[in-house]
Amino acid sequence: MSVLQTTMASTFLPAVGRVAVCGGTHGNELSGVYLVQEMERKRKEKGDSVWPVPVTTVVSNPLAVKECKRYIETDLNRCFSNATLSTPITDSTPYEVRRAQELNALLGPKESAGATDLLCDLHNTTSNLGLTLIHYTTNDWMTLHICKYLQTKITRVPVRVLVLDIPISAAYSLETVSKHGFSIEVGPQPNGVIRADIYEVMKEAVDLTMDWIKIFNSGTVFEGGDIEVFIFQKSIDYPREPSTRELIAAIHPQLQDRDFCLLKRGDPMFLTFSGETVKYEDDETLHPFFINECAYYEKGIAFHLAKKWKLSIPRMQVQK
Amino acid sequence: MSVLQTTMASTFLPAVGRVAVCGGTHGNELSGVYLVQEMERKRKEKGDSVWPVPVTTVVSNPLAVKECKRYIETDLNRCFSNATLSTPITDSTPYEVRRAQELNALLGPKESAGATDLLCDLHNTTSNLGLTLIHYTTNDWMTLHICKYLQTKITRVPVRVLVLDIPISAAYSLETVSKHGFSIEVGPQPNGVIRADIYEVMKEAVDLTMDWIKIFNSGTVFEGGDIEVFIFQKSIDYPREPSTRELIAAIHPQLQDRDFCLLKRGDPMFLTFSGETVKYEDDETLHPFFINECAYYEKGIAFHLAKKWKLSIPRMQVQK
């Protein structure tokens, strides 16, 4: 494991005032869709004071949710780069690009002082990710403090933090329109299916994030320390038939469901449909994740590989 | 458990001459799609003699496979009743009804002397069904003998036999166009995903069916005996919001993945999104199956219930 050294001085940040929880960014990932509905039902019943701060709840891709599809024309969660957000709208602009610009107006604007303070975007995966919190940059201390808090509090599934080290301007996910925040990925759950166990993990993560906001806003000091994170390195595709691009192998049973294990030279990676094992031949030992995620077949990804790092995060408290 | 009494006299049946293996009847159930492709690759490489009899391999719904959807316009595996197979084709006939009539011409005609002797239709489910063999009627001795053979030989997953007691003329599944045969359901596997472990179970079931045909055609006597089967009784829907018909609960964690367990009065059945348990209130103890199958949300089915029976099947051998 490598260590990224950072300053250990105290950091002061403004109170969290504006929060958003979004589900259905992918319309067939149902835990978030039903959790947002449940939050809206609860607000109707008990009023806004059910949360420490006002929460904007959003069904991000309502047309895709209605059709129980990932997206209608293009993957909404790839539409929040500065470039796509500033694309002029024409008659041929895909639905999701229009919707991304609407969401940016509602929850951002991205990289502006008026943006939402904290955004949680709720996702499911067919991979055995447990609870994985995904965000950009290795120095968003508030996000990392919340991740650490969730790691401490949640015990029934592994809680991991994944960093995609991409400049915010180029980062394409919904949570990047806010100042802080993350995607909450919970799996395994098939697309188009809701599992109570997976729903409960997601609900616990959102409830604990609200608890954290309450504690932070009240002036409590969060001590600094180390946090283990996984940093994306590269992607591996399935073996395919050269001319048709059809799959000729599946993830090997010894790799399936073992997200975040260590993959080293010689380990089984794929099993061809005729029964042959394809091994990992790279010298670099890395951690595979998003193993056999349904939506990544069309993107040419069998799994991603990450490196494990330890980040030092500073002591943090609210600015008075 | 109830016992259906049947005659124990020897039964003689003609040799199995014409066999079909079909995948992609639902286009997003990938094990069958890739297994049929693999069988076609093997035939190309080694010739027809790789199997004991000629095998017709079919991708049942090629358009749905291409789009990785269950179906294009209507569920193909509900189109093989005599009524639908004799519907006149017009401009507005759904793609799958046309395709069902094509498949009936290729593999049937249903209930005719010229029909395929034995048809295996390959399916996956998001439910924890292990390997489940589904067919119609409690007195298709050849099908029941093959099921018993698979139960004896396959040890890595539970092998169960499910009977839908519907007259063949009204039965709507692809395998009903042949004289004998069954659907092979293997799960759990998400739609649009291929898992090597699930694929291997399906492949073993098809390979063993071929072995059975070889042994049967060679004149070996299959002794009679008892076989345990599940007979469909009724379906249970999810709790829904009365006006919108939206789900308000998921399958309870204590029922999820427990297909073919015993469900008795007072057992947890659903967990609402606000955390309340809904219990099974019926006095009749039954066996739930197809628990949380993705494709059944739109059909208003959370799970089916079955009764367990013991069938006596007669000694059987090939007609000389």
Side-chain angles (χ1 to χ4, degrees):
Chain A
M1 189 188 302
S2 309
V3 179
L4 286 186
Q5 284 300 333
T6 61
T7 169
M8 291 303 288
S10 251
T11 296
F12 292 87
L13 283 176
V16 175
R18 222 183 131 201
V19 171
V21 176
C22 305
T25 301
H26 294 133
N28 54 8
E29 299 176 5
L30 298 191
S31 303
V33 173
Y34 288 114
L35 183 51
V36 162
Q37 276 182 21
E38 173 57 22
M39 290 175 77
E40 290 174 352
R41 193 199 59 75
K42 210 166 162 183
R43 174 166 40 214
K44 222 173 184 173
E45 191 185 310
K46 302 191 177 172
D48 257 333
S49 63
V50 72
W51 299 301
V53 291
V55 176
T56 306
T57 48
V58 179
V59 176
S60 314
N61 195 333
L63 283 191
V65 168
K66 204 172 164 199
E67 295 194 21
C68 200
K69 291 164 72 168
R70 185 174 174 89
Y71 57 78
I72 302 296
E73 291 184 87
T74 189
D75 190 334
L76 176 62
N77 213 32
R78 302 294 179 273
C79 291
F80 295 92
S81 67
N82 286 7
T84 307
L85 289 176
S86 58
T87 302
I89 300 290
T90 67
D91 285 351
S92 62
T93 303
Y95 165 70
E96 278 83 4
V97 173
R98 292 167 198 265
R99 182 65 182 149
Q101 296 193 9
E102 274 174 33
L103 290 170
N104 187 45
L106 177 71
L107 304 170
K110 181 167 172 169
E111 297 189 277
S112 79
T116 298
D117 292 318
L118 185 72
L119 192 157
C120 294
D121 193 30
L122 308 176
H123 289 265
N124 292 120
T125 168
T126 58
S127 306
N128 188 22
L129 282 200
L131 173 60
T132 299
L133 309 166
I134 308 179
H135 74 282
Y136 297 82
T137 89
T138 51
N139 59 0
D140 175 351
W141 307 136
M142 181 180 286
T143 298
L144 286 165
H145 263 289
I146 299 174
C147 291
K148 199 174 173 185
Y149 184 76
L150 297 184
Q151 280 184 330
T152 314
K153 295 287 180 184
I154 295 175
T155 53
R156 55 178 150 176
V157 290
V159 183
R160 298 181 184 100
V161 179
L162 182 71
V163 177
L164 302 169
D165 204 4
I166 300 175
I168 283 292
S169 60
Y172 42 68
S173 308
L174 171 54
E175 70 272 17
T176 66
V177 307
S178 64
K179 288 176 191 140
H180 311 280
F182 42 82
S183 294
I184 293 181
E185 282 280 359
V186 197
Q189 179 173 273
N191 292 341
V193 163
I194 175 89
R195 287 180 62 103
D197 53 353
I198 299 290
Y199 173 86
E200 292 286 309
V201 168
M202 185 178 275
K203 186 168 185 304
E204 188 178 3
V206 171
D207 288 348
L208 285 169
T209 302
M210 297 299 162
D211 289 351
W212 187 92
I213 292 168
K214 189 175 175 183
I215 301 169
F216 175 75
N217 282 358
S218 75
T220 304
V221 175
F222 285 87
E223 287 304 329
D226 289 339
I227 182 169
E228 187 183 282
V229 301
F230 292 88
I231 299 187
F232 170 84
Q233 302 295 307
K234 60 180 173 183
S235 306
I236 305 284
D237 192 11
Y238 292 93
R240 293 175 190 264
E241 208 280 314
S243 57
T244 63
R245 306 298 301 144
E246 278 284 353
L247 260 58
I248 57 169
I251 296 289
H252 196 281
Q254 287 179 44
L255 180 58
Q256 177 70 48
D257 301 327
R258 299 196 60 234
D259 295 75
F260 296 107
C261 70
L262 262 182
L263 189 66
K264 56 181 197 307
R265 191 184 180 88
D267 286 345
M269 196 163 55
F270 299 106
L271 186 63
T272 70
F273 297 130
S274 53
E276 286 145 41
T277 295
V278 180
K279 292 179 176 176
Y280 179 66
E281 298 293 4
D282 208 298
D283 280 329
E284 193 178 20
T285 298
L286 290 168
H287 298 267
F289 67 101
F290 273 126
I291 298 171
N292 209 352
E293 157 55 32
C294 180
Y296 290 178
Y297 283 65
E298 68 175 23
K299 296 184 201 288
I301 299 166
F303 54 88
H304 291 317
L305 287 166
K307 206 171 233 176
K308 201 193 270 188
W309 291 81
K310 195 171 272 181
L311 295 183
S312 297
I313 53 175
R315 189 192 313 146
M316 200 180 77
Q317 67 186 101
V318 72
Q319 236 164 39
K320 296 281 179 191
Chain B
M1 189 188 298
S2 309
V3 178
L4 285 186
Q5 284 302 333
T6 60
T7 170
M8 291 303 287
S10 251
T11 296
F12 293 87
L13 283 175
V16 175
R18 223 183 129 200
V19 171
V21 176
C22 306
T25 300
H26 294 133
N28 54 8
E29 299 177 5
L30 298 191
S31 303
V33 173
Y34 288 114
L35 183 50
V36 163
Q37 276 181 19
E38 173 58 20
M39 290 176 76
E40 291 173 351
R41 194 199 58 75
K42 210 167 162 185
R43 174 167 40 214
K44 224 173 183 173
E45 192 185 309
K46 301 190 179 174
D48 258 333
S49 63
V50 71
W51 300 301
V53 291
V55 176
T56 306
T57 46
V58 178
V59 176
S60 314
N61 195 333
L63 284 190
V65 168
K66 204 172 165 199
E67 296 194 21
C68 200
K69 290 164 72 169
R70 184 173 175 90
Y71 56 80
I72 302 296
E73 291 184 86
T74 190
D75 190 334
L76 176 61
N77 213 32
R78 301 295 179 273
C79 290
F80 295 93
S81 67
N82 286 8
T84 307
L85 288 177
S86 59
T87 302
I89 300 291
T90 68
D91 284 353
S92 62
T93 303
Y95 165 69
E96 278 84 3
V97 173
R98 292 168 198 264
R99 183 66 181 149
Q101 296 193 10
E102 274 174 32
L103 290 170
N104 187 45
L106 176 70
L107 304 171
K110 181 167 173 170
E111 297 189 277
S112 78
T116 298
D117 292 318
L118 185 74
L119 192 157
C120 295
D121 192 30
L122 309 176
H123 289 263
N124 292 121
T125 169
T126 58
S127 306
N128 188 21
L129 282 200
L131 173 60
T132 300
L133 309 166
I134 308 180
H135 75 282
Y136 297 82
T137 90
T138 50
N139 60 2
D140 176 351
W141 309 135
M142 182 180 286
T143 299
L144 286 164
H145 263 290
I146 300 173
C147 291
K148 199 174 173 186
Y149 184 77
L150 298 183
Q151 280 184 330
T152 315
K153 296 286 179 183
I154 295 176
T155 54
R156 54 178 150 177
V157 290
V159 183
R160 297 180 185 101
V161 179
L162 182 72
V163 176
L164 303 169
D165 204 4
I166 300 175
I168 284 291
S169 60
Y172 43 67
S173 308
L174 172 54
E175 70 273 16
T176 66
V177 306
S178 65
K179 289 178 193 139
H180 311 281
F182 41 82
S183 295
I184 294 180
E185 282 280 359
V186 197
Q189 180 173 273
N191 292 341
V193 163
I194 175 88
R195 286 181 62 103
D197 53 353
I198 298 290
Y199 172 86
E200 292 286 308
V201 169
M202 185 177 276
K203 186 167 183 305
E204 188 179 3
V206 171
D207 288 348
L208 285 169
T209 301
M210 298 298 162
D211 289 352
W212 186 92
I213 292 168
K214 190 174 174 182
I215 300 170
F216 175 75
N217 282 357
S218 76
T220 302
V221 175
F222 286 87
E223 287 304 328
D226 289 339
I227 182 170
E228 187 183 282
V229 302
F230 292 88
I231 299 188
F232 170 83
Q233 303 295 306
K234 60 180 173 184
S235 305
I236 305 286
D237 193 11
Y238 292 92
R240 293 176 190 264
E241 209 280 312
S243 57
T244 63
R245 306 298 301 145
E246 279 283 354
L247 260 57
I248 57 171
I251 296 288
H252 196 281
Q254 288 179 43
L255 180 58
Q256 177 72 46
D257 300 327
R258 299 196 60 234
D259 296 75
F260 295 107
C261 69
L262 262 182
L263 188 67
K264 56 181 197 304
R265 191 185 181 88
D267 285 345
M269 196 164 53
F270 298 106
L271 186 64
T272 71
F273 298 130
S274 53
E276 287 145 42
T277 294
V278 179
K279 292 179 177 174
Y280 180 65
E281 297 294 2
D282 207 298
D283 280 329
E284 194 178 20
T285 298
L286 291 168
H287 299 268
F289 67 101
F290 273 125
I291 298 170
N292 209 353
E293 157 55 33
C294 180
Y296 289 179
Y297 284 65
E298 68 175 22
K299 297 184 200 287
I301 299 165
F303 54 88
H304 291 316
L305 287 166
K307 206 171 230 174
K308 200 193 271 188
W309 291 81
K310 195 171 273 184
L311 295 183
S312 297
I313 54 175
R315 190 193 310 147
M316 200 179 77
Q317 68 187 100
V318 73
Q319 237 164 39
K320 295 284 178 187

Coordinates of all heavy atoms in Angstrom, one line a residue, chain A residues 26 30 43 88 137 152 170 173 192 194 198 205 262 272 276 304 306 311-312:
Chain A
H26 N -29.6 6.0 -13.1 CA -29.8 4.9 -14.0 C -31.1 4.2 -13.7 O -31.3 3.8 -12.5 CB -28.6 3.8 -13.8 CG -27.3 4.4 -14.3 ND1 -26.1 4.2 -13.5 CD2 -27.0 5.1 -15.4 CE1 -25.1 4.8 -14.2 NE2 -25.6 5.4 -15.3
L30 N -32.8 0.0 -8.9 CA -34.0 0.3 -8.2 C -33.9 0.7 -6.7 O -34.8 1.4 -6.2 CB -35.0 -0.9 -8.3 CG -35.4 -1.3 -9.7 CD1 -36.6 -2.3 -9.6 CD2 -35.9 -0.1 -10.5
R43 N -41.2 12.8 4.2 CA -41.3 14.3 4.3 C -42.7 14.8 4.3 O -43.1 15.6 5.0 CB -40.6 15.0 3.1 CG -40.8 16.5 3.1 CD -39.8 17.2 2.2 NE -39.6 16.5 0.9 CZ -38.5 16.5 0.3 NH1 -37.5 17.2 0.7 NH2 -38.4 15.9 -0.9
P88 N -24.6 23.4 -26.7 CA -25.8 24.0 -27.1 C -26.9 22.9 -27.4 O -26.6 21.9 -28.0 CB -25.5 24.8 -28.4 CG -24.0 24.9 -28.4 CD -23.5 23.7 -27.7
T137 N -11.0 13.2 -6.8 CA -10.0 13.9 -6.1 C -9.6 13.3 -4.8 O -10.5 12.7 -4.1 CB -10.3 15.5 -5.8 OG1 -11.0 15.6 -4.6 CG2 -11.0 16.1 -6.9
T152 N -16.8 3.5 9.7 CA -16.8 3.2 11.2 C -18.1 2.6 11.6 O -18.2 1.7 12.5 CB -16.5 4.5 12.0 OG1 -15.4 5.2 11.4 CG2 -16.2 4.2 13.4
A170 N -13.5 17.7 -16.1 CA -13.7 16.5 -17.0 C -14.6 15.4 -16.4 O -15.1 14.6 -17.2 CB -12.4 16.0 -17.5
S173 N -19.8 12.5 -13.7 CA -20.9 12.0 -12.9 C -21.7 13.1 -12.3 O -21.2 14.2 -12.0 CB -20.3 11.1 -11.8 OG -19.4 10.1 -12.4
G192 N -33.2 -3.9 -12.5 CA -34.7 -4.2 -12.6 C -35.2 -5.0 -11.4 O -36.4 -5.4 -11.4
I194 N -35.4 -5.2 -6.9 CA -35.1 -4.6 -5.7 C -35.0 -5.7 -4.6 O -35.9 -6.6 -4.5 CB -36.2 -3.6 -5.3 CG1 -36.0 -3.0 -3.9 CG2 -37.7 -4.1 -5.4 CD1 -35.1 -1.8 -3.9
I198 N -30.1 -5.1 0.2 CA -29.4 -4.0 -0.5 C -30.0 -2.7 -0.2 O -29.3 -1.7 0.0 CB -29.3 -4.3 -2.0 CG1 -28.6 -5.7 -2.3 CG2 -28.7 -3.2 -2.8 CD1 -27.2 -5.7 -2.1
A205 N -26.7 4.1 4.8 CA -25.6 5.0 4.4 C -26.2 6.4 4.3 O -25.5 7.4 4.7 CB -25.1 4.5 3.0
L262 N -7.0 -9.3 -4.2 CA -5.8 -9.0 -4.9 C -5.6 -9.9 -6.1 O -5.8 -11.2 -6.0 CB -4.6 -9.3 -4.0 CG -4.0 -8.1 -3.2 CD1 -2.8 -8.5 -2.4 CD2 -3.6 -7.0 -4.2
T272 N -13.4 -19.6 -20.7 CA -14.0 -19.6 -22.0 C -15.2 -20.5 -22.0 O -15.3 -21.4 -21.2 CB -13.1 -20.0 -23.2 OG1 -12.8 -21.4 -23.1 CG2 -11.8 -19.2 -23.1
E276 N -11.8 -23.3 -21.2 CA -10.3 -23.0 -21.0 C -10.2 -21.8 -20.0 O -11.0 -20.8 -20.2 CB -9.6 -22.7 -22.3 CG -9.3 -23.9 -23.1 CD -9.4 -23.7 -24.6 OE1 -9.0 -22.6 -25.0 OE2 -10.0 -24.5 -25.3
H304 N -12.7 -3.3 -13.6 CA -11.6 -2.3 -13.5 C -10.6 -2.8 -12.5 O -10.8 -3.7 -11.7 CB -12.2 -1.0 -12.8 CG -13.2 -0.3 -13.7 ND1 -13.0 0.0 -15.0 CD2 -14.4 0.3 -13.3 CE1 -14.0 0.7 -15.5 NE2 -14.9 0.9 -14.5
A306 N -7.7 -1.4 -9.5 CA -7.3 -0.2 -8.7 C -6.1 -0.5 -7.9 O -5.7 -1.7 -7.7 CB -8.5 0.1 -7.7
L311 N -4.6 7.6 2.6 CA -4.7 9.0 2.5 C -4.7 9.5 4.0 O -5.4 9.0 4.8 CB -5.9 9.6 1.8 CG -6.1 9.3 0.4 CD1 -7.4 10.0 -0.1 CD2 -4.9 9.8 -0.4
S312 N -3.9 10.6 4.2 CA -4.0 11.2 5.5 C -4.9 12.4 5.4 O -4.7 13.3 4.5 CB -2.6 11.8 6.0 OG -1.7 10.7 6.1

